[in-house]
Amino acid sequence: MQNKGLIKFFAILFALVSIYQLSFTFVANNVKSEAKAFAGDNPDKELKYLDSIGKEKVLNLGFTDFTYNEVKNKQLNKGLDLEGGINVILQISVKDVLKGLANNSKNPVFNKSLADATANLEGNKTYLNKFFEAFEANSKGTVKLASPDIFANRSLQGEGGVDFQMSDAQVQKVIKKKVDESIESAYKVLRERIDKFGVTQPNIQKLGETGRILVELPGAKDVDRIKKLLGGKAQLEFWETYKIEEIGNFLVATNEALKKTEIKKNETKAVVKDSLNALLTDAKDSVDTKKGNNPLFDKMIGQGGGPVLGYFAPKDTAAVNSYFKRADIRILLGADQHNAKFVWSKPTSLKDAKGKEVEAVELYALKGNRDNIPAMSGGVVTDAKDTFDQLGKPAVSMQMNSQGAKVWEELTGRAFSQKGYIAIVLDNIVYSAPGVTSGPIAGGRSEITGSFDVAETKDLANILNAGKLPASADIIQSTVVGPSLGQAAIDAGTISSVLGFLLVCLWMVFYYGKAGWYANLALLLNLLFLFGIMASFGFVLTLPGIAGIVLTLGTAVDANIIIFERAKEELREGKSLSEAVIASYGWHGAMRSIIDANVTHVLTGAILFIFGTGPIKGFALTLLIGIVTSMFTSIFIARIFIDRNIAGKGDLTFSTNITKNWFTNFHFDFIKIKKFTYIFSSIVVVVSLVSIFFVNGLDEGVDFVGGRTFQVKFEKPVDATVISDELSAAFGTPVEAKILGDDDQLKITTKYKIKEDGVAVDEEVNQKLYKALEKYFPNVTYDKFTNTFDGKKVGVLQSSKVGASISEDIKTNSYWAVLGAMAAIFLYLMVSFRKWQYSLGAIAAVAHDVIFVLGIYSLCYKFMPFHMEMDQHFIAAILTVIGYSMNDTVIVFDRVREFIIGNRKGSFEDIVNASINTTLSRTLNTSLMMIIVLLTMFIFGGESIRGFIFAMLIGIVVGTYSSLFIATPVLVDSISSDEKHNIEDKHNNKI
């Protein structure tokens, strides 16, 4: 092997980098364990502990060190099914956006088109496109989108807006841009909102051009509260603020009052003189000068000025809020300040007295009123853009409607005369509090300047625009996983992974002897690389991802099996050990088969990654990474050990005394029995199709039809039929209850109001479920039944919702994923083998396998002790089956091609039979590895993925059968008689 030194260098480098990256995960887990031990069963106490040590050094590598926050951000991310938490997909209401852009137009064509777009929305079709189609059909050219009473209104006129002379096509481009801006604004708002939840490593991302936003909150527990916060509309407001000199006396009085209630009598801390002057000292003065017996001021980490009353650490905001809510504190406000509203800014950075940069939030006092109504709402803003002022500094310009312009003139005039400030507030967070320096601002157009950078002005412009286009964010899909369930999944995944690894290693040593040990060392390094890559790039590990890792254990040795079997053949032909190894690693040896097999894996994995969501995407990603790392370790790392043996003892035989003669001189006529296999497979296919379309159908899960599911753990075993009847009566619609694992755990499914969106509906369903089951949980409150927390034993352990609109998309994507995988493989094999007959044989085998698995699920789902639903996990299993079925088929086809090119004697059927028989050891060994690891996952991997694993297990068995008894016979039958005669004449020296 050439460049052996370079390969060793990169292998060592990759190993060190992987260990380095995984060290953060190890340290972070240790810190979390300490936090759990410290907090007991109190999750809030645990979170506060982790927050308090966020900036402490927890990892020292000698040349550098890291704080807990830095370690936490670099650790291997766990998905919600392992970590626990909440996952939601929000659909920004494009209908609301269009109504806002049209100023709630009463035009009948416009409103009918909105209704038609809602009613006729199809899978993978955007609402906006359906609206345009409906408008064209309803208007029939009589009404234009640019009509003054639709989009050519005053609020959309001007640069980049809609002119009444525009064509519908031109207006569509403008509206699409405005809708995209609205979705971007909603995205910005939601991104800010999730900071309130106090969770680690939140994730928020837009899902393409669908208007959907994914929000993942690991560790979040208050289900109803979070859904309300995520689903609520943005509240953009403009408030007048108090200045520090106006509210300073109140802060001093508050601090004095708190001394009497917050400081223990036996404390003897030094007391310093507090006064308004001390409060207003220059920010350069050390805050430490105020340290002592001062409950409020001791929490202040930086002095304020203007509208800013002071800077505080984010962790202290709850305590300060509790002070200001107390009746004995509120009474200290001045006569004209009783309605003051205390709010915080978004987090910023601040240097403390020691020059260290710390995170801080600013405290503001807004001029409230009896009705708690702001001076002006954000709905008056018609446009906001990031720009630059006259000095070239980043700024934000905004335009208001006529009503807002009048109020804005009064507001800015008052602020100018009083040298005051106007706070821009979104969801109770202050984003900016500019002063007014040029007098009252008339006309509604103004410019906000300050210490902004370009990114901040873009964000502020989006925030201002959020008030312009009020659009609801409906939760169309959600998943809630309790932390205890996540830990159980981790335990099950760990057990199955370790056991699968040991079984694979034992078989490789049993079958291949010392060469098996070399393959095992490569396998161990492969796992290190796989986890290291996932940690390095911030990929998320999910429960299906763990299944992908376990599958990687089986496939990682696949390349070694192909190489070892080829080496044995070369040795039987009389070649030396070194010659046999060189030949087996060559392109005409095992390498072509390895490349072809892995390309088919990559194709199916990539399609699964593109069409999958959430945990399924994690499964696909793990498979793809595993393919790359397996190729490297199997081909290069194992080769290093083999070459070292050749240079030393040279005693490799690639077998043991027991297995050395297995499958040698094996001659079975596979083609001769093709009629029987055709008949058997035809019967299976017909029975499967009859069951699917006419008898049992398929158990379509909520992913495909919409609905809500709850995994509920009871205090003792229950009768699923009784629970189903009780819940059906309570909901007034059929509710399905199935035993999930043990008799005290049920999976409850309902389609109650699934077509209605809104947080209120979700809460209604939760309340109905609790009320109907309350008698089974006599000592459990609604909050404890519904919400998740560490150590939860009974109640809802996991719940999910899939709205009707997104379920249609999931179903459509699933069909395209399966068809796309088959089409991609067909094209690749046709290019690789240069004959369509190979592709036909492969696709016939794959179609047979898919129908077989579907048939098993259709025939058995009613009585199997585990769920066998058609959902995203099932589609992932089908695509995996397609990939691995191709693996065995490609190995046989490569040998057929090799023998056709070579000089093997006999008829065409003899050549094909010889190809199957000489590769049988590879085929069965590869399949056996897969079956071993899948059985391990099926038994020990946990209840939630048992149906998913079962589909793959059946698929691998059937795929092995089809590659031997379907793919090759179809290849033989599809090649013309003339071509067969030409091949036979050539091989028998007749031409």
Side-chain angles (χ1 to χ4, degrees):
M1 181 173 62
Q2 296 179 344
N3 301 318
K4 190 184 300 183
L6 187 63
I7 292 171
K8 287 181 180 179
F9 170 76
F10 278 114
I12 294 171
L13 180 63
F14 290 159
L16 291 175
V17 170
S18 297
I19 293 170
Y20 168 77
Q21 291 292 343
L22 292 172
S23 66
F24 297 111
T25 303
F26 177 77
V27 173
N29 287 338
N30 283 343
V31 174
K32 288 179 184 176
S33 298
E34 293 172 1
K36 284 186 181 295
F38 171 79
D41 293 328
N42 189 332
D44 293 331
K45 190 176 181 182
E46 178 186 338
L47 187 59
K48 288 180 180 178
Y49 174 86
L50 293 174
D51 284 341
S52 68
I53 65 168
K55 297 186 183 301
E56 292 185 11
K57 306 293 185 184
V58 295
L59 176 61
N60 189 336
L61 297 177
F63 58 91
T64 186
D65 49 29
F66 298 90
T67 65
Y68 171 67
N69 284 340
E70 291 170 334
V71 167
K72 179 181 65 177
N73 292 332
K74 292 177 178 290
Q75 70 176 332
L76 179 62
N77 299 324
K78 294 194 289 287
L80 296 187
D81 50 1
L82 299 179
E83 181 80 4
I86 298 174
N87 169 306
V88 301
I89 293 180
L90 296 158
Q91 176 73 64
I92 304 304
S93 177
V94 177
K95 182 178 181 179
D96 283 355
V97 175
L98 292 173
K99 283 183 176 181
L101 290 171
N103 278 344
N104 292 309
S105 172
K106 304 298 183 184
N107 185 288
V109 173
F110 172 77
N111 285 290
K112 186 177 188 308
S113 300
L114 290 176
D116 290 349
T118 302
N120 301 323
L121 194 61
E122 302 168 351
N124 282 343
K125 287 278 190 178
T126 67
Y127 181 90
L128 188 59
N129 286 336
K130 294 300 292 184
F131 166 76
F132 289 146
E133 290 175 8
F135 187 88
E136 184 178 354
N138 292 326
S139 69
K140 298 178 181 177
T142 60
V143 181
K144 294 177 61 179
L145 290 171
S147 298
D149 62 339
I150 304 181
F151 291 126
N153 54 66
R154 290 183 61 185
S155 62
L156 274 180
Q157 289 178 355
E159 185 181 353
V162 176
D163 187 283
F164 69 90
Q165 296 178 337
M166 284 183 171
S167 66
D168 281 356
Q170 291 173 317
V171 176
Q172 287 178 10
K173 292 180 180 179
V174 175
I175 298 304
K176 185 178 186 306
K177 181 181 178 183
K178 294 293 183 182
V179 169
D180 290 343
E181 288 174 356
S182 178
I183 294 170
E184 179 68 23
S185 297
Y187 170 74
K188 297 283 187 182
V189 172
L190 290 168
R191 191 178 66 182
E192 297 294 339
R193 285 183 182 182
I194 64 175
D195 291 335
K196 296 179 181 180
F197 301 147
V199 300
T200 58
Q201 296 175 303
N203 174 40
I204 176 170
Q205 56 182 289
K206 290 184 293 183
L207 301 179
E209 302 297 323
T210 62
R212 292 170 182 164
I213 298 174
L214 168 69
V215 179
E216 291 182 321
L217 303 174
K221 300 174 175 65
D222 193 339
V223 178
D224 289 338
R225 170 181 167 266
I226 288 173
K227 286 186 176 181
K228 285 178 181 177
L229 286 171
L230 288 175
K233 289 185 179 181
Q235 297 179 11
L236 177 64
E237 302 165 338
F238 296 89
W239 293 79
E240 295 178 272
T241 72
Y242 289 104
K243 292 177 286 189
I244 190 170
E245 54 265 30
E246 294 173 324
I247 211 77
N249 286 331
F250 164 72
L251 297 179
V252 173
T254 297
N255 188 67
E256 290 296 326
L258 291 173
K259 290 179 182 179
K260 301 174 183 178
T261 60
E262 301 299 308
I263 305 299
K264 296 179 181 178
K265 293 181 179 180
N266 61 351
E267 288 185 349
T268 57
K269 292 183 178 179
V271 179
V272 299
K273 181 180 179 181
D274 289 314
S275 67
L276 182 58
N277 289 333
L279 176 67
L280 301 178
T281 52
D282 192 275
K284 294 180 181 177
D285 294 341
S286 172
V287 179
D288 292 337
T289 60
K290 300 187 191 66
K291 291 295 181 186
N293 195 14
N294 298 279
L296 179 62
F297 295 152
D298 283 352
K299 289 182 170 59
M300 194 178 293
I301 60 174
Q303 299 294 335
V308 180
L309 307 183
Y311 292 84
F312 294 79
K315 65 182 179 65
D316 291 328
T317 56
V320 175
N321 286 340
S322 68
Y323 296 157
F324 291 150
K325 289 178 181 178
R326 284 169 41 174
D328 61 321
I329 299 298
R330 299 287 302 183
I331 203 171
L332 300 175
L333 287 162
D336 60 341
Q337 299 174 346
H338 284 164
N339 295 312
K341 182 178 179 180
F342 293 93
V343 295
W344 302 95
S345 73
K346 63 178 182 177
T348 185
S349 58
L350 175 75
K351 288 188 177 180
D352 63 11
K354 298 178 181 178
K356 181 181 178 183
E357 195 168 279
V358 295
E359 189 178 48
V361 288
E362 302 162 344
L363 176 64
Y364 291 84
L366 308 181
K367 292 184 178 181
N369 49 54
R370 184 179 300 175
D371 298 322
N372 197 32
I373 297 174
M376 190 170 69
S377 70
V380 300
V381 178
T382 60
D383 189 34
K385 296 179 180 178
D386 56 297
T387 182
F388 295 91
D389 63 15
Q390 294 178 346
L391 300 176
K393 294 182 179 179
V396 175
S397 67
M398 62 179 178
Q399 178 65 52
M400 299 177 181
N401 59 27
S402 56
Q403 180 184 359
K406 183 178 179 180
V407 178
W408 185 244
E409 186 174 1
E410 296 174 0
L411 195 59
T412 53
R414 195 159 52 243
F416 174 74
S417 62
Q418 298 175 0
K419 293 183 168 43
Y421 301 84
I422 301 172
I424 301 171
V425 182
L426 180 74
D427 290 338
N428 270 348
I429 299 293
V430 176
Y431 280 78
S432 177
V436 180
T437 59
S438 58
I441 302 174
R445 178 169 290 280
S446 55
E447 188 174 72
I448 303 171
T449 59
S451 301
F452 298 123
D453 60 26
V454 174
E456 288 173 328
T457 56
K458 287 183 180 295
D459 286 348
L460 184 54
N462 279 323
I463 295 304
L464 291 168
N465 279 323
K468 179 188 64 174
L469 299 174
S472 60
D474 298 324
I475 297 175
I476 58 173
Q477 183 175 352
S478 66
T479 303
V480 181
V481 182
S484 56
L485 201 62
Q487 187 57 49
I490 293 174
D491 295 339
T494 302
I495 292 172
S496 59
S497 298
V498 172
L499 190 56
F501 176 78
L502 291 176
L503 290 174
V504 169
C505 290
L506 285 173
W507 178 260
M508 290 300 291
V509 172
F510 167 76
Y511 200 90
Y512 293 107
K514 186 177 287 187
W517 281 110
Y518 297 155
N520 292 339
L521 290 172
L523 176 60
L524 190 62
L525 198 59
N526 172 55
L527 290 176
L528 176 63
F529 289 164
L530 194 156
F531 280 110
I533 290 173
M534 293 190 71
S536 299
F537 291 95
F539 298 143
V540 178
L541 180 64
T542 62
L543 183 56
I546 291 179
I549 291 172
V550 177
L551 283 175
T552 300
L553 299 177
T555 58
V557 296
D558 178 35
N560 285 131
I561 289 174
I562 297 173
I563 291 168
F564 293 170
E565 290 297 327
R566 185 68 185 217
K568 287 197 293 186
E569 292 176 6
E570 301 293 341
L571 288 171
R572 292 190 197 106
E573 292 179 3
K575 292 182 180 178
S576 67
L577 180 59
S578 61
E579 290 172 338
V581 168
I582 292 171
S584 63
Y585 275 92
W587 178 253
H588 296 291
M591 210 51 57
R592 176 181 284 184
S593 297
I594 292 172
I595 295 299
D596 282 337
N598 280 282
V599 167
T600 58
H601 286 171
V602 169
L603 288 173
T604 54
I607 289 172
L608 185 57
F609 183 79
I610 292 169
F611 288 98
T613 59
I616 301 305
K617 195 178 286 286
F619 171 73
L621 183 64
T622 306
L623 280 181
L624 290 171
I625 296 172
I627 290 169
V628 176
T629 55
S630 299
M631 288 278 286
F632 177 77
T633 55
S634 299
I635 294 173
F636 296 110
I637 302 301
R639 176 73 183 273
I640 290 174
F641 294 117
I642 291 172
D643 286 348
R644 177 174 292 182
N645 180 279
I646 294 173
K649 294 181 179 179
D651 57 352
L652 273 182
T653 58
F654 299 100
S655 62
T656 63
N657 291 331
I658 299 174
T659 62
K660 63 181 179 181
N661 292 319
W662 287 15
F663 299 105
T664 57
N665 299 317
F666 191 82
H667 301 291
F668 182 80
D669 195 341
F670 288 89
I671 304 303
K672 184 177 180 180
I673 64 169
K674 66 180 181 180
K675 290 183 180 179
F676 299 102
T677 58
Y678 280 168
I679 292 171
F680 170 75
S681 293
S682 298
I683 292 172
V684 169
V685 168
V686 170
V687 170
S688 297
L689 292 175
V690 168
S691 178
I692 293 168
F693 292 106
F694 302 105
V695 183
N696 289 333
L698 290 163
D699 186 16
E700 292 187 292
V702 296
D703 281 356
F704 283 4
V705 296
R708 293 176 173 86
T709 62
F710 300 88
Q711 183 174 336
V712 181
K713 184 79 169 178
F714 292 79
E715 294 180 346
K716 54 186 178 182
V718 293
D719 188 326
T721 304
V722 172
I723 297 295
S724 178
D725 292 341
E726 292 176 349
L727 289 173
S728 297
F731 281 92
T733 186
V735 177
E736 183 182 67
K738 292 182 179 179
I739 293 175
L740 187 64
D742 299 326
D743 291 344
D744 60 353
Q745 185 168 259
L746 296 181
K747 181 179 182 181
I748 297 169
T749 305
T750 175
K751 294 182 178 65
Y752 178 76
K753 289 188 176 181
I754 196 59
K755 292 187 177 181
E756 297 182 28
D757 293 317
V759 176
V761 176
D762 293 342
E763 190 169 353
E764 178 190 349
V765 173
N766 289 341
Q767 290 282 3
K768 281 183 174 290
L769 182 68
Y770 173 70
K771 290 294 183 184
L773 300 178
E774 189 174 7
K775 64 182 179 182
Y776 297 98
F777 301 91
N779 301 315
V780 180
T781 64
Y782 168 77
D783 286 338
K784 288 187 176 180
F785 175 82
T786 305
N787 295 322
T788 63
F789 52 87
D790 290 326
K792 185 173 183 178
K793 302 295 184 184
V794 296
V796 178
L797 301 183
Q798 180 175 357
S799 64
S800 65
K801 166 193 170 183
V802 179
S805 61
I806 198 169
S807 66
E808 190 67 29
D809 289 355
I810 292 172
K811 183 185 291 188
T812 303
N813 284 341
S814 299
Y815 293 150
W816 282 114
V818 174
L819 293 175
M822 295 175 70
I825 290 173
F826 182 91
L827 291 173
Y828 173 75
L829 292 181
M830 190 164 64
V831 171
S832 179
F833 287 88
R834 294 183 175 85
K835 283 186 179 295
W836 61 267
Q837 289 90 343
Y838 288 96
S839 296
L840 179 64
I843 292 303
V846 166
H848 166 273
D849 299 342
V850 170
I851 294 172
F852 195 107
V853 175
L854 288 170
I856 291 290
Y857 267 61
S858 176
L859 292 166
C860 302
Y861 77 84
K862 292 184 178 180
F863 58 85
M864 278 291 191
F866 51 87
H867 73 90
M868 300 178 71
E869 293 179 348
M870 287 282 292
D871 54 16
Q872 291 188 83
H873 291 79
F874 180 82
I875 297 302
I878 290 294
L879 288 174
T880 306
V881 166
I882 290 173
Y884 290 109
S885 176
M886 286 299 94
N887 189 359
D888 291 337
T889 302
V890 164
I891 290 173
V892 176
F893 281 3
D894 269 321
R895 182 53 61 92
V896 172
R897 175 172 55 185
E898 178 188 342
F899 279 1
I900 288 176
I901 295 173
N903 297 311
R904 196 168 189 95
K905 304 290 185 182
S907 66
F908 183 76
E909 285 77 6
D910 292 336
I911 294 172
V912 173
N913 268 320
S915 301
I916 300 174
N917 282 295
T918 55
T919 57
L920 194 60
S921 180
R922 304 178 191 180
T923 302
L924 296 182
N925 259 313
T926 300
S927 298
L928 183 62
M929 292 297 95
M930 293 298 303
I931 291 170
I932 287 174
V933 295
L934 286 171
L935 271 176
T936 304
M937 279 295 290
F938 181 76
I939 297 170
F940 299 102
E943 187 66 37
S944 61
I945 60 170
R946 192 154 285 154
F948 167 58
I949 297 298
F950 182 73
M952 285 193 285
L953 187 59
I954 296 298
I956 296 302
V957 174
V958 176
T960 304
Y961 160 84
S962 67
S963 66
L964 300 175
F965 297 104
I966 301 297
T968 44
V970 169
L971 171 65
V972 170
D973 290 341
S974 59
I975 289 181
S976 66
S977 299
D978 290 342
E979 188 170 355
K980 289 179 185 176
H981 289 317
N982 288 335
I983 293 172
E984 291 168 355
D985 289 343
K986 175 184 174 183
H987 282 258
N988 294 299
N989 299 320
K990 293 182 180 180
I991 57 174

